[in-house]
Amino acid sequence: MTARHANHVGGMSTGLSVVRAVRAGEMLAEEALEHCIARIEVCDPRVNAFTDGTFERAVREARAVDAARARGEVLPALAGLPYAVKNLFDIEGLTTRAGSRVRNGQPPAAADAVLVERMRAAGAVLVGALNMDEFAYGFTTENSHYGPSRNPRDLSRTAGGSSGGCGAAVAAGQVPVTLGSDTNGSIRVPSSLCGVWGLKPTFGRLSRRGSFPFVASLDHLGPFARSVEDLAATYDALQGPDPADPGCHAARVQPALEQIGHSLSGLRIGALGGYFEDHAGPAARRALACAAEVLHATPGVAWPDAALARAAAFVTSAAEGGALHLPTLRERAAEYEPLSVDRFIAGALQPAEWYVRAQRFRRLYRERVNALFADWDVLLAPATPVQATVIGAETFALNGADMPTRPSMGLLTQPVSYAGCPVVAAPLWPDGLQKLPIGVQVIAAPWREDLALRVARALEASGVAVSPVAGI
Amino acid sequence: MNDTTPFDILDFVRASARLLDLPLDDAQVARVATHLARTRAMVAPLRLLPLVPDAEPAEIYCPAPFPAEDPS
């Protein structure tokens, strides 16, 4: 470890190391929680990952775990694991603001979101809610109402977005696990920029009930962590069908944790070229090359229609997001995030033909992408074009062109989520652990999170993809 | 498709905002038009993509889960 990172630096251990210590009686869940709260109090004035603390609830949940152990009960899978959620998840008793001001004054949530319920059932301890781009429309978490989340790897830079608080809290060692959302890259982008692991599951894998929507036909929820084991264990705890979410297509749980240590022997792994090379800066290319070398991946695999898919994802997001907010925009546009309100309005005004065409294309696109996975088990691509940009930067340079920062950070994630494929974002360090990280997407066919997590675990075991606690 | 001027987009924003009862001042109209022009350029290749009539939109709506058993 370098001076910049250390295993703890006061930060939390990995989630499952806490769970094992609690189970073995080496640590109380309440002690783990106290450690976590202390870290939040030290770091958060600089990082600004948290918007709300739920410490009283957390103490109750931690004490319940300790009491169950004292009674000799078998503890559930995540007993004692502290975690936090993006503030678009319903938390009973809190108003779900989704990063906005316009939702202040709305009644508090009457119940937890389904995924928060599942975390509670698994024994996890909820410590708070996390900062985000307003209504999830952004890739930088430069939230004008609640302040920007700062990247723990370099506090002058963005944490990515829209789940920026999720990436920052995990990188800073404030909590070992967070839950975020990903519509166009909002788990993968902050994972890439903050140097943590993120999982965007298959579209329709996890229930979204009780989370504030952005784009119903594209919204996914998923976990962040500093180890692949934590990522898989959390993902397993979140799984389960939900007939009340029309976008939840999973019929049963398919556990992944037990698969992650399996050999990669026989897996066909490729690295994407074409669009994904053309839109990657030098660090992103080096990170991809590094991962591809470790995994003996075949280079130059062509992903079908990536540019069309990115355009279709952009139009779909603008139209659905704009339409969702139109009633409020009529009355209270001035209270919206100035960095995204004009994009919401532009989306609301888009011709219907653009949106319908995008959705018609999406059906054909799905067939083309799924056909690609007849030849490949796992495909690799950079997660972001560049590393974290300085807060307030309007543009970044990409292969000789100036790109607008806020919409362009998702150039490489949008084509993949438009197909609905599961992706693990792996944290690589092409310039060494002293410098900034950048992520690589580990992409599998729909419903094959197990393969993406297996390959991610191999990258972690090789040492090229790691997530130390930031030394702040 | 390439003959639209910035003035046409400004007109479109003003007219469609009025149609949707969305009050916008001139500065907002200009900013929204900039975004819409960018989206229009991005979507141009998608608009040229040939789509056969039976290329239906990707589905999300289902009236009810398909029954596990046939009716008796």
Side-chain angles (χ1 to χ4, degrees), chain A residues 86-89 97-100 103 130-141 143 160-164 180-187 190 211-215 218-221 317-318 321 324-325 336-337 340 343-344 406 414:
Chain A
K86 187 173 182 175
N87 78 21
L88 54 64
F89 284 82
R97 285 176 291 173
S100 73
R103 287 191 52 78
L130 297 160
N131 202 6
M132 56 183 285
D133 287 293
E134 184 180 72
F135 294 122
Y137 207 177
F139 286 122
T140 58
T141 313
N143 188 306
S162 62
S163 312
S181 69
D182 186 317
T183 301
N184 285 298
S186 289
I187 289 174
S211 65
F212 197 89
F214 170 28
V215 181
L218 280 172
D219 289 341
H220 309 64
L221 304 178
S317 301
L324 178 68
H325 287 281
Y336 271 66
E337 166 63 70
S340 57
R343 283 191 284 150
F344 270 126
R406 295 182 188 98
Q414 286 177 286

Side-chain angles (χ1 to χ4, degrees), chain A residues 216 246 308 310-311 314-315 326 329-330 342-343 345-346 348-350 354 357-361 363-364 366, chain B residues 12-13 16 20-23 31-32 35-36 39-40 42-43 45-47 49 51-52 55-60:
Chain A
L308 286 174
R310 195 259 169 161
F314 196 98
V315 166
L326 184 59
L329 288 167
R330 287 192 182 106
D342 298 327
R343 283 191 284 150
I345 295 171
L349 305 185
Q350 276 181 183
W354 295 3
R357 179 162 276 270
Q359 288 288 4
R360 292 174 70 199
F361 161 74
R363 199 144 161 257
L364 304 178
R366 171 178 65 192
Chain B
F12 175 84
V13 169
S16 53
L20 292 170
D21 299 318
L22 185 62
R31 292 197 304 268
V32 169
H35 285 290
L36 206 56
T39 309
R40 188 174 185 278
M42 189 188 298
V43 81
L46 189 64
R47 295 175 68 200
L49 184 73
L51 287 171
V52 294
E56 295 182 14
E59 67 283 359
I60 189 165

Side-chain angles (χ1 to χ4, degrees), chain A residues 285-355:
Chain A
R285 289 178 188 218
R286 288 200 302 278
L288 179 64
C290 181
E293 184 182 352
V294 165
L295 297 168
H296 307 291
T298 303
V301 177
W303 182 275
D305 297 328
L308 286 174
R310 195 259 169 161
F314 196 98
V315 166
T316 300
S317 301
E320 291 190 27
L324 178 68
H325 287 281
L326 184 59
T328 323
L329 288 167
R330 287 192 182 106
E331 307 289 334
R332 302 176 66 183
E335 296 170 61
Y336 271 66
E337 166 63 70
L339 297 173
S340 57
V341 63
D342 298 327
R343 283 191 284 150
F344 270 126
I345 295 171
L349 305 185
Q350 276 181 183
E353 192 262 351
W354 295 3
Y355 175 74

Side-chain angles (χ1 to χ4, degrees), chain A residues 57-80:
Chain A
R57 169 184 172 146
V59 169
R60 285 198 305 275
E61 290 181 339
R63 285 179 180 167
V65 168
D66 292 331
R69 188 184 180 281
R71 290 192 298 267
E73 295 175 14
V74 176
L75 296 181
L78 304 181

Side-chain angles (χ1 to χ4, degrees), chain B residues 2-17:
Chain B
N2 295 319
D3 57 353
T4 307
T5 69
F7 298 107
D8 293 330
I9 294 182
L10 287 170
D11 288 345
F12 175 84
V13 169
R14 284 194 192 96
S16 53

